Each structure stands twice: as C-alpha cells, then as structure tokens.
Amino acid sequence: MNNTAAPLQHAAPHSGGFSLKYWKQGLFWIILTVYGILTLYPLFWLIISAFKTNAEFINRPFSLPATWRLDNFVRAWQSSKMGTAFVNSVIVSVLSLVLTLFLSGLASYVLSRLQFRFKGGILAFFVVGMLIPIHSTLVPLFILMKQMSLLNTYWALILPYTAFALPTAIFVLTAYLSSVPKDIEEAAYIDGTGLWGVFWRIMLCRSQRRRCRPLRSSASCIRGTIFHSRLYLSAKPVLRRFRSPLRRLRTASRRITA
C-alpha cells in the first residue's frame, strides 16, 4: 500500500504545475490577441471608411459601407493631383541621388587615393558639413535661389538635397576606398588603364555594396527636407512633391469629421 501511494503523491504536484503553466500560456495568448485586435482595428476602420460616402462616414462611422464606392479613390487621386506630385517626387529624388553618388564618388576617390597638400583640411571641411542644421539654411538658400532665378524649378530642390547629402556620402565612401589595396590600382595602370578607367572599372565596381549606405543616407536626407518644396515651389503648385497632396487629403478629412 505504501508503494502505490508514493507515485500518487508525486504525481499530484506535477499535475498542478502543468495546469498552472497551461493557464499562464492561455492568459498570455488572450492578452496578445486582444492587443492585436486593438492595434489592427484602426487600420481596418480606415480601410472600410475609404469606401463610404460622407454621409455614411458621419452617421455610421463604425459600420460597414452600404455600397463599396471605388470612385472615392479616383476622385481623391484626381482632386489632389497626386499623380503629378508623384512624378515630381520621382524626378527630384532620382536626380538628387544620381548627382549625389556621382559627385561623392569623384571626391572620395581623390581624397582616398591621391596625396596632396591640405587633404586633411578638405576632408574635415566636408565632415563639418554634417553638423550644419538644415533649418538654419532656409533663408540664405531662399535668397540665393531667388538671385539665381531657380525658384519654382526642379533645381531649387535638387541642388539643396545634393548639398546636404554629400558630406555623409563622401565620409562613408572615403573610408571604404582608403581600404582598397594599392596593388589593384597599380596593376590596372600597368595594363594601360587610365585614371578614369581605374575610377569607373575598379573603384566604383568594388564599392557597389558600400554605395548602398550613401544611397540610404541620401534618401533619408531628401525625405527629411520636405519643407524645401513648400518654400521654393510656392508659386507653382504643379511642381510640388508627393507629400503635399497627402497633407491636403488629411486636412480635408479633418474638415469632414469636424
């Protein structure tokens, strides 16, 4: 009798521990499910509201639309001129990135491979450009653009975007190109490759992966200086970028709900 009672006494605590662990896991998944519903419901409400009329949006904000109206998207796209703004954003962003990578590649190649006086000072000059606040240059840039007759043109955005992105791109590429072995460059010269050939065929080809970092930093800089478009393109709304129509749509939605 004592031998049979012992296993039962040991099994009882084990069963209680298993039950407690099971309830903890169940409570955890319940909390996680509730949190997921609370997080995803605003997105679901936003999607169904996009298919409603203004009357349905005001009178029945939490119900499904009586008629799923796809023409809301067409009307929003046309009234805000979002297609034109999207094309402007693509033009400005692509040209700014190409110009930034080209100029930073040239400057980084000279600073990393050639020896000349004041080399360290020039590199420090570019690095100091990373410390200049963008907002402090708005008024001087506006006066400069006005004197150069560049206001309300694409170049009023492309040139500042390129200038603000160059310091970071030059800093990253210079550090990488300095690590390229001299033997590769000397072998290319022996084979008859000129200075431009070494730059295009060797340096830029070897730095393709590393160029992604200046590309990402330049894209972040362009995204963070969106206020330039409102300042330098104020007289020509047709040149405004993609986020201006989004801002107008957000303002219109606030007026509807007010």
Side-chain angles (χ1 to χ4, degrees):
M1 295 294 293
N2 294 331
N3 295 332
T4 58
L8 294 176
Q9 293 176 358
H10 290 290
H14 179 73
S15 177
F18 175 78
S19 177
L20 181 61
K21 181 179 179 181
Y22 174 79
W23 282 107
K24 286 182 177 179
Q25 290 182 352
L27 181 62
F28 170 77
W29 285 108
I30 290 174
I31 295 174
L32 192 63
T33 302
V34 173
Y35 175 77
I37 293 174
L38 294 177
T39 304
L40 295 177
Y41 180 77
L43 179 61
F44 171 75
W45 177 83
L46 180 66
I47 294 174
I48 63 174
S49 298
F51 294 93
K52 295 180 180 179
T53 61
N54 293 340
E56 287 181 327
F57 182 79
I58 296 174
N59 298 326
R60 298 186 303 168
F62 300 106
S63 62
L64 293 176
T67 303
W68 296 78
R69 301 177 62 89
L70 294 176
D71 58 332
N72 291 342
F73 297 93
V74 178
R75 187 169 63 255
W77 185 275
Q78 294 176 350
S79 61
S80 62
K81 299 181 180 179
M82 196 169 293
T84 303
F86 180 76
V87 173
N88 294 334
S89 296
V90 171
I91 293 174
V92 171
S93 301
V94 170
L95 291 180
S96 300
L97 291 176
V98 170
L99 192 60
T100 298
L101 293 179
F102 177 71
L103 295 178
S104 63
L106 291 176
S108 301
Y109 177 69
V110 173
L111 293 173
S112 61
R113 312 306 293 183
L114 303 182
Q115 300 296 330
F116 53 92
R117 292 184 62 184
F118 308 113
K119 172 182 174 180
I122 295 175
L123 181 59
F125 174 77
F126 284 115
V127 174
V128 169
M130 300 169 60
L131 306 178
I132 299 177
I134 297 176
H135 298 79
S136 64
T137 64
L138 285 177
V139 175
L141 276 177
F142 180 83
I143 297 174
L144 180 63
M145 294 295 174
K146 184 177 181 180
Q147 293 176 350
M148 298 177 62
S149 301
L150 292 178
L151 291 179
N152 302 311
T153 63
Y154 288 126
W155 294 106
L157 299 180
I158 295 173
L159 295 179
Y161 291 167
T162 303
F164 288 124
L166 273 177
T168 304
I170 292 175
F171 179 75
V172 174
L173 283 178
T174 300
Y176 173 72
L177 293 180
S178 299
S179 64
V180 177
K182 288 281 187 179
D183 298 340
I184 299 177
E185 189 176 359
E186 293 174 355
Y189 286 132
I190 293 174
D191 290 339
T193 305
L195 186 63
W196 282 100
V198 172
F199 173 73
W200 288 108
R201 300 175 185 176
I202 297 178
M203 295 301 175
L204 288 187
C205 291
R206 290 182 61 86
S207 61
Q208 282 183 356
R209 293 183 179 179
R210 190 58 62 97
R211 275 183 295 170
C212 292
R213 294 183 180 179
L215 184 66
R216 290 196 297 267
S217 64
S218 302
S220 301
C221 180
I222 293 172
R223 182 183 61 183
T225 53
I226 186 64
F227 46 82
H228 283 82
S229 61
R230 301 198 301 269
L231 181 63
Y232 303 145
L233 306 179
S234 58
K236 285 189 178 181
V238 71
L239 295 180
R240 290 180 182 175
R241 294 182 60 197
F242 189 60
R243 293 177 67 175
S244 296
L246 294 180
R247 189 176 297 105
R248 288 199 297 269
L249 286 177
R250 183 175 59 185
T251 304
S253 63
R254 289 177 179 176
R255 291 176 180 175
I256 293 175
T257 55

